[in-house]
Amino acid sequence: MNDYGAIVGTATYTPSTLPPGQSPPANQPVAGSHGVFLAPILVVQSNYPTTQGVEDLGPTTTQNIIGPGGNGIAYITGAPAMPQLTAQIGGFSSSGMTVDWRLHMTSERPERGTKDDIDIPASSGDGASGGETGENPVGGPGVVDNEPINTPWTIDYPPTPFEFDGGTVTLYFTIKNAAGTALGPEQSVTFKIRGKNPTPSAAYNYIQEEPQGGPLGNLYYAWGIAKHESAQDPNTYCQFNANSPAEEPNYGYPDGWGIFQRDDGGITTPTEGSIYVTTDQVYSWQVNSDVCVQQELAEEWNEANNYLGKQQSRHPTQFAANPPPPYTVSGKTFAPIDVLTMERYNGAGKFYRLLQFSASTGTWTWNLPNAPRDTEPYINRVAERMTSSP
Amino acid sequence: MKIALYLIGLTLISLQCALAQSIKDPIKDPIKDYLASSDDDKDSAMPYFKTLLVLKCDVDNSGKPSILISFNGYGGRQGNFWTAYLPSGNGYIKADDGHVDLTFRRDTFFVGSVGSKYGLLAYAAGKGGGDLNFFQFINGQITEQKIGSLDLSKPQDKQEFENYFGTPPNWKSLKNYPARVLNVHDLKGAGYDPEGAIQRANVANHPLKTPIPNDTNKPGQ
């Protein structure tokens, strides 16, 4: 064993005597003396959150993920930020040896299928830092090749929509001698990337700063939706599970993800028209919020706005005299456009069933159904969450 | 008075003619009919049209496929709002949805017998579980009945859910009834006029307030 903990030596290989008629395997080593190494691998997160529990209060430290003291779990912080990871082989500090690195990530949530699978580097040549030699010549997962063995490999994540990702990580490495010859077959280690949640006040403040999300914005209740949708009481604003399986993405049947339970109805490609739930939305509470507030809720508010405007033009006298009434619950009074937007988000029904016009009285009345598996309309539950902030 | 009676008579005659015409001439092309038809609710969402969703499944147990049509984003968590065209003669009749919204998610619906009845079973997603809503298509009319709620933390409820709908992401309905997803380009190529439908809705809409801009850079996409 050398000073870095690597076991280095030689071993003699002697093929076993095969029974008559049986052929040796095609990849059988050559008989004789071979180099042997058993090198320690270290995976380190430099922004490891130190807060216990699923909420992240912010402080970070440097922590082994694989190696002494490591438990095999790296974390997306509550900021949120992806884990800043390096990988290094120990034991060959100035030998001229090199390492080829690659990484594969796949979700721990089977419901996501392969949507979150990534390879780093993504393809042959992508992100390679050591020249062209040794890259995968046929495409598919790439290889960061010929990294000096005494230099940590810094794992660079791909751009959006995979800027945030997590799950089971398999880190592959091939150690090569100074002449560039692999000293053995490719080896691998696995670890997890899971996530910490923001504090409720951090999530509340961020959503309030979304366009239209503030107290005077058209979508001022967005924070109440997030709080209700992602609550795993007593925890709220859960991008990642507070309950079992803890720290994995917060999933709700059939296809709800993260802080707003973003849901695209199970579509399989972004081209199908609905607002697709990308990997970023599953692993970043901020991206999840951005898409929900700026796209989904904005679109539904505009639809409600169109509908109410149409009612005004269709029944101008009645609209002026007795406009659609506000809706009050849990001490909160919501304008008709707020009610229609929230109920449409939940999918409660067509607008004209929710807000019914009586030609005989010239008035509109609310007819809100209970939310699924509930004894109250959806908006009532959001209003309950809004009685206390964050 | 005579004129009024005459006008009423004319109206009744034209209504009868229209009814007779609809019986004689079933809808030949549901997609064309869907794009041409308009109501306040649908018009409100039409400006965000990107893709038409078309399903084929035998929802009325006639032995022939019905055509179910919706478009992206028309609905919410509980599913899209669909229009059903039921086979009739050498065409289709539009199912009467005057009393219910035919609402279901593409990933969680079942078509077939539930108990002794035949129809479309939809899962309406809620928190921790959801409702089972059963739609029947009888004599051209749609009826809806809530037949239960599922608590997916309970093994027996989860099993019932999986029996009907499968396990994510391997949803039975996505496999058994894959939607034709037609974008504007596809529709125009097939001779339809989606842009006309969008334009018609835009003209019909009169927003109450200043719309929220929806042409800004989209995050996360």
Side-chain angles (χ1 to χ4, degrees):
Chain A
M1 180 178 289
N2 67 17
D3 292 343
Y4 297 91
I7 298 171
V8 185
T10 58
T12 302
Y13 172 65
T14 306
S16 57
T17 304
L18 297 173
Q22 187 171 335
S23 302
N27 60 349
Q28 187 179 36
V30 178
S33 182
H34 292 266
V36 171
F37 61 89
L38 184 59
I41 180 165
L42 203 61
V43 177
V44 179
Q45 179 176 354
S46 61
N47 62 338
Y48 187 88
T50 57
T51 316
Q52 297 298 308
V54 75
E55 278 174 19
D56 181 11
L57 298 178
T60 61
T61 189
T62 297
Q63 169 69 39
N64 289 345
I65 306 304
I66 301 285
N71 69 352
I73 303 173
Y75 285 104
I76 299 167
T77 72
M82 280 295 284
Q84 294 166 6
L85 295 173
T86 55
Q88 186 172 7
I89 305 294
F92 298 90
S93 61
S94 57
S95 58
M97 296 167 72
T98 60
V99 185
D100 287 355
W101 296 100
R102 67 186 180 94
L103 175 155
H104 181 75
M105 201 182 304
T106 189
S107 179
E108 287 189 89
R109 301 289 328 203
E111 301 88 354
R112 286 290 291 173
T114 58
K115 288 177 179 174
D116 303 331
D117 285 17
I118 59 167
D119 291 291
I120 300 175
S123 60
S124 181
D126 284 358
S129 57
E132 299 300 313
T133 307
E135 287 173 4
N136 186 336
V138 292
V143 176
V144 173
D145 58 305
N146 299 331
E147 283 282 294
I149 200 166
N150 57 348
T151 303
W153 176 45
T154 299
I155 297 170
D156 291 324
Y157 300 102
T160 190
F162 296 103
E163 195 174 354
F164 287 86
D165 199 353
T168 301
V169 180
T170 305
L171 177 66
Y172 297 92
F173 55 96
T174 303
I175 301 176
K176 300 193 290 192
N177 64 20
T181 303
L183 297 180
E186 185 179 57
Q187 302 176 66
S188 66
V189 292
T190 62
F191 60 95
K192 308 288 187 188
I193 294 180
R194 293 177 179 163
K196 297 281 187 182
N197 287 325
T199 61
S201 58
Y204 171 81
N205 290 335
Y206 186 85
I207 297 167
Q208 293 258 313
E209 290 168 8
E210 293 277 12
Q212 307 293 338
L216 301 178
N218 288 318
L219 302 170
Y220 67 92
Y221 42 80
W223 67 274
I225 292 177
K227 190 177 179 184
H228 171 64
E229 288 285 343
S230 63
Q232 296 182 349
D233 291 317
N235 297 82
T236 52
Y237 305 99
C238 296
Q239 180 73 16
F240 297 98
N241 282 336
N243 304 327
S244 178
E247 301 167 340
E248 291 184 19
N250 179 3
Y251 162 74
Y253 270 87
D255 201 24
W257 295 98
I259 193 169
F260 276 92
Q261 289 289 283
R262 279 280 303 120
D263 187 330
D264 57 25
I267 63 174
T268 51
T269 67
T271 58
E272 291 181 40
S274 300
I275 304 170
Y276 192 59
V277 180
T278 59
T279 299
D280 281 348
Q281 294 171 51
V282 174
Y283 290 93
S284 163
W285 64 269
Q286 289 189 348
V287 178
N288 193 290
S289 171
D290 294 345
V291 174
C292 188
V293 178
Q294 296 178 42
Q295 294 186 57
E296 188 173 4
L297 283 173
E299 188 171 305
E300 280 150 357
W301 187 93
N302 282 336
E303 291 174 14
N305 189 29
N306 285 338
Y307 183 78
L308 288 169
K310 189 63 178 286
Q311 299 313 295
Q312 185 183 38
S313 62
R314 198 180 283 287
H315 311 288
T317 309
Q318 297 92 330
F319 202 96
N322 294 297
Y327 182 87
T328 300
V329 63
S330 294
K332 303 279 178 192
T333 297
F334 297 97
I337 198 167
D338 305 333
V339 184
L340 292 181
T341 303
M342 278 187 262
E343 290 291 323
R344 175 56 61 90
Y345 181 79
N346 182 243
K350 293 181 180 175
F351 291 143
Y352 66 84
R353 288 194 207 285
L354 305 176
L355 181 60
Q356 295 186 339
F357 177 70
S358 165
S360 60
T361 62
T363 58
W364 285 266
T365 54
W366 290 109
N367 179 38
L368 304 182
N370 291 336
R373 199 172 157 264
D374 202 342
T375 55
E376 303 267 351
Y378 179 77
I379 189 173
N380 292 22
R381 297 306 185 195
V382 176
E384 284 173 8
R385 295 286 180 181
M386 293 174 71
T387 55
S388 64
S389 60
Chain B
M1 184 66 176
K2 280 183 182 174
I3 292 173
L5 285 172
Y6 175 70
L7 287 175
I8 290 169
L10 270 185
T11 307
L12 286 173
I13 288 166
S14 24
L15 278 174
Q16 281 176 330
C17 286
L19 187 61
Q21 192 73 11
S22 72
I23 292 168
K24 274 185 189 171
D25 296 323
I27 297 164
K28 299 286 188 194
D29 187 337
I31 292 177
K32 186 177 178 184
D33 182 81
Y34 187 83
L35 290 173
S37 61
S38 147
D39 64 57
D40 289 357
D41 197 277
K42 191 172 144 193
D43 284 352
S44 71
M46 206 58 173
Y48 306 98
F49 179 96
K50 289 178 188 162
T51 55
L52 196 75
L53 309 172
V54 183
L55 295 173
K56 276 187 178 181
C57 43
D58 179 9
V59 294
D60 62 351
N61 206 16
S62 62
K64 298 176 184 173
S66 298
I67 307 290
L68 280 61
I69 305 180
S70 183
F71 60 95
N72 66 288
Y74 186 35
R77 293 288 194 277
Q78 296 179 43
N80 280 64
F81 304 133
W82 299 84
T83 298
Y85 294 87
L86 309 176
S88 174
N90 57 353
Y92 300 88
I93 57 166
K94 192 186 293 188
D96 179 356
D97 59 357
H99 300 288
V100 296
D101 294 333
L102 178 58
T103 309
F104 62 90
R105 299 172 56 96
R106 277 172 57 201
D107 54 6
T108 45
F109 72 95
F110 166 84
V111 177
S113 295
V114 176
S116 61
K117 296 176 178 175
Y118 187 94
L120 185 150
L121 184 68
Y123 178 75
K127 203 161 168 59
D131 290 344
L132 292 173
N133 297 327
F134 189 55
F135 296 95
Q136 286 190 279
F137 304 78
I138 299 171
N139 297 327
Q141 283 209 323
I142 308 177
T143 61
E144 180 183 11
Q145 185 184 1
K146 179 181 164 183
I147 62 170
S149 289
L150 298 179
D151 176 351
L152 295 178
S153 67
K154 293 180 178 174
Q156 66 272 26
D157 283 13
K158 194 170 182 187
Q159 186 60 55
E160 185 177 1
F161 175 91
E162 290 178 353
N163 287 344
Y164 283 119
F165 309 119
T167 54
N170 302 310
W171 300 114
K172 291 181 180 180
S173 57
L174 287 180
K175 182 183 174 193
N176 295 339
Y177 308 105
R180 281 180 73 197
V181 180
L182 302 164
N183 61 26
V184 170
H185 177 77
D186 299 331
L187 288 164
K188 286 173 71 176
Y192 297 108
D193 183 20
E195 288 164 333
I198 296 167
Q199 181 60 25
R200 198 170 49 248
N202 278 332
V203 170
N205 286 324
H206 303 279
L208 189 67
K209 302 181 177 184
T210 305
I212 296 176
N214 66 344
D215 56 353
T216 52
N217 290 331
K218 301 299 185 189
Q221 295 286 293

